[in-house]
């Protein structure tokens, strides 16, 4: 499809995308993409990683509803966080002849065979929130500004500790404050962006001694959590408390998402921390269980990435690709997948705290107050 971009003289944007390199999974024709004829109802294959995290349930629902409203058939599959299952699901979608693929991968590097098969079948591929790496056959990437998400998380922690004020200005507070960090899964390309964004604002204060990582674990490889697993985060925090905090308090926790935050919080509760003594803990995804914790004072913040906007942008990108158009992009430089730089659309996110969760999440219709009170959307 990027070959199509290069020949679309009406779009200067398309020419800039062509410079990113690679033919894209929909390459090889200037006709409409996919196997369906122009008079047939198109089918979009949607692969989501799992249904343990509420956010992926929300994403799948929003993408499916948006595509159906746009007049497409939808093949939606969840893979139970199992890579072979996701590979098989995508293989089946390609065999069935879907017209475009929207893929939220478990492991961005594990789908190269499927991307090659999509290219051979002239099926465009949209990477959804997680970059697909190591293969040229990726036409588009829809995500949030992931480095900035990390900046928001790190700044939120600094604000909670009083090191910067609400405007992000230094207060002169010297601490020292003991902090620990929980990064995301090493096979998720976004995890590095989140961590690096956070460290861009935390590391100067670590270097100055205002922040102290008592465990000594401050590199991504040391704090990454395979599978974004809440139980693994809880177990690691149990170990940290036992080894480094028998006589000291934890003053803050950088957690890259809400599952990791809840794991860390549970371990600290087991270690004697309550709502009054719980240190500020960051998060991400505005999962309802964590919003309840924020309202109760157990978690300090989360990052709201409105999946309705992400879904809408991916639906529009699918529509554009199927119509032979270049999807709207606002980034053609950041997301190098190791083979090509994938044209992308980056959405903005919001920091949610107890002070503003109502205006951001309730007033927008994302949740109801009843959802927050019971910590469930059921």
């Amino acid at each position: 499809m990027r070959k199509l971009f290069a020949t679309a003289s009406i779009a200067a944007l398309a020419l800039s995308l062509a410079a990113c390199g690679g033919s894209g999974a929909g390459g090889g024709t200037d006709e409409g993409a996919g196997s369906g004829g122009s008079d047939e109802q198109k089918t979009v294959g949607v692969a989501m990683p799992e249904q343990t995290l509420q956010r992926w349930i929300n994403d799948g629902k929003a993408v499916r509803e948006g595509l159906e409203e746009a007049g497409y058939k939808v093949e939606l599959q969840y893979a139970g966080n199992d890579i072979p299952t996701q590979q098989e699901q995508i293989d089946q979608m390609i065999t069935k002849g879907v017209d475009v693929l929207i893929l939220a991968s478990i492991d961005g590097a594990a789908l190269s065979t499927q991307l090659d098969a999509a290219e051979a079948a002239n099926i465009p591929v949209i990477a959804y929130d997680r970059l697909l790496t190591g293969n040229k056959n990726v036409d588009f990437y829809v995500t949030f500004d992931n480095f900035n998400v990390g900046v928001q998380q790190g700044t939120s922690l600094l604000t909670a500790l009083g090191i910067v004020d609400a405007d992000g200005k230094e207060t002169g507070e010297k601490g020292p404050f003991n902090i620990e960090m929980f990064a995301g899964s090493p096979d998720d390309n976004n995890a590095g962006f989140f961590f690096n964004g956070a460290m861009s604002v935390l590391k100067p204060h670590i270097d100055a001694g205002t922040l102290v990582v008592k465990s000594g674990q401050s590199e991504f490889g040391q704090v990454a959590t395979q599978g974004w697993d809440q139980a693994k985060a809880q177990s690691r925090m149990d170990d940290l408390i036992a080894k480094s905090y028998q006589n000291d308090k934890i003053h803050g926790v950088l957690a890259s998402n809400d599952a990791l935050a809840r794991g860390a919080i549970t371990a600290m509760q087991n270690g004697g921390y309550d709502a009054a003594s719980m240190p500020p803990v960051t998060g991400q995804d505005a999962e309802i269980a964590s919003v309840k914790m924020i309202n109760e004072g157990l978690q300090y913040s989360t990052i709201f990435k409105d999946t309705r906007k992400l879904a809408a942008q991916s639906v529009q990108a699918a529509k554009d690709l199927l119509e032979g158009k270049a999807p709207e992009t606002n980034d053609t430089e950041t997301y190098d997948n190791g083979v090509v730089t994938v044209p992308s659309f980056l959405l903005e996110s919001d920091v949610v705290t107890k002070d503003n969760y109502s205006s951001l999440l309730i007033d927008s219709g994302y949740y109801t107050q009843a959802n927050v009170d019971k910590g469930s959307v059921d």
Side-chain angles (χ1 to χ4, degrees):
M1 186 60 68
R2 234 171 291 164
K3 188 179 293 182
L4 171 65
F5 292 167
T7 60
S9 61
I10 61 171
L13 170 62
L15 295 175
S16 69
L17 296 183
C20 297
S23 63
T29 180
D30 289 346
E31 303 281 327
S35 60
S38 59
D39 295 329
E40 298 176 2
Q41 186 179 25
K42 303 290 187 179
T43 300
V44 181
V46 181
M48 291 284 159
E50 45 103 354
Q51 291 172 288
T52 301
L53 298 180
Q54 182 65 44
R55 72 141 300 183
W56 292 117
I57 298 173
N58 293 345
D59 282 73
K61 180 175 182 290
V63 171
R64 184 187 67 240
E65 291 178 351
L67 289 168
E68 289 174 345
E69 287 178 9
Y72 301 114
K73 295 179 182 178
V74 181
E75 174 88 13
L76 171 63
Q77 296 288 341
Y78 287 89
N81 221 24
D82 181 69
I83 293 170
T85 297
Q86 186 166 68
Q87 291 170 332
E88 182 179 356
Q89 289 171 342
I90 297 169
D91 285 337
Q92 290 174 352
M93 292 178 191
I94 293 170
T95 300
K96 289 179 181 179
V98 299
D99 297 283
V100 66
L101 286 165
I102 298 175
L103 307 181
S105 64
I106 298 167
D107 181 342
L111 299 178
S112 192
T113 299
Q114 286 68 40
L115 296 179
D116 287 342
E119 163 74 3
N122 191 36
I123 301 171
V125 173
I126 298 168
Y128 184 94
D129 202 38
R130 292 177 173 178
L131 185 63
L132 297 164
T133 60
N135 193 294
K136 66 182 176 63
N137 300 318
V138 185
D139 291 279
F140 202 67
Y141 182 35
V142 180
T143 190
F144 288 85
D145 187 339
N146 295 313
F147 186 88
N148 188 58
V149 167
V151 171
Q152 290 176 315
Q153 291 173 326
T155 303
S156 173
L157 184 59
L158 294 176
T159 303
L161 294 172
I163 296 172
V164 301
D165 62 20
D167 296 322
K169 296 180 180 178
E170 301 283 337
T171 64
E173 173 64 61
K174 299 299 182 183
F177 298 103
N178 299 322
I179 68 165
E180 296 295 339
M181 294 178 278
F182 290 77
S185 189
D187 54 13
D188 181 349
N189 186 74
N190 289 347
F193 281 93
F194 301 144
F195 183 74
N196 291 336
M199 286 300 285
S200 73
V201 295
L202 295 181
K203 193 173 187 303
H205 297 282
I206 294 173
D207 292 343
T210 306
L211 299 177
V212 178
V213 185
K214 282 186 63 64
S215 69
Q217 299 173 14
S218 60
E219 300 295 328
F220 178 78
Q222 296 172 305
V223 302
T225 311
Q226 184 64 44
W228 296 90
D229 191 296
Q230 180 173 331
K232 288 183 173 69
Q234 180 178 340
S235 178
R236 178 167 170 261
M237 180 58 91
D238 286 335
D239 289 342
L240 292 176
I241 291 172
K243 294 176 181 178
S244 301
Y245 293 96
Q246 288 298 304
N247 300 308
D248 288 296
K249 290 289 186 182
I250 302 171
H251 299 122
V253 177
L254 176 80
S256 286
N257 83 341
D258 287 340
L260 303 182
R262 292 194 299 273
I265 289 167
T266 300
M268 288 188 286
Q269 287 176 313
N270 293 340
Y273 294 81
D274 58 16
S277 60
M278 187 66 65
V281 182
T282 68
Q284 180 182 183
D285 295 328
E287 291 191 358
I288 190 60
S290 282
V291 178
K292 182 177 188 291
M293 283 185 163
I294 289 171
N295 192 37
E296 294 172 344
L298 288 171
Q299 183 172 324
Y300 176 73
S301 67
T302 187
I303 303 299
F304 178 41
K305 302 191 304 185
D306 193 337
T307 55
R308 296 169 298 186
K309 296 178 181 178
L310 187 64
Q313 201 67 41
S314 68
V315 169
Q316 184 59 52
K319 184 175 184 292
D320 289 339
L321 286 168
L322 288 171
E323 293 177 356
K325 302 175 183 177
E328 179 184 1
T329 183
N330 58 15
D331 189 296
T332 59
E333 299 178 356
T334 302
Y335 288 96
D336 182 344
N337 78 350
V339 180
V340 295
T341 301
V342 183
S344 308
F345 191 95
L346 309 184
L347 295 154
E348 294 302 315
S349 53
D350 296 291
V351 179
V352 175
T353 65
K354 188 172 183 177
D355 291 336
N356 68 1
Y357 83 86
S358 182
S359 61
L360 287 174
L361 301 176
I362 308 302
D363 294 350
S364 70
Y366 197 75
Y367 293 132
T368 66
Q369 186 61 51
N371 294 150
V372 174
D373 292 341
K374 65 181 180 180
S376 172
V377 295
D378 296 332

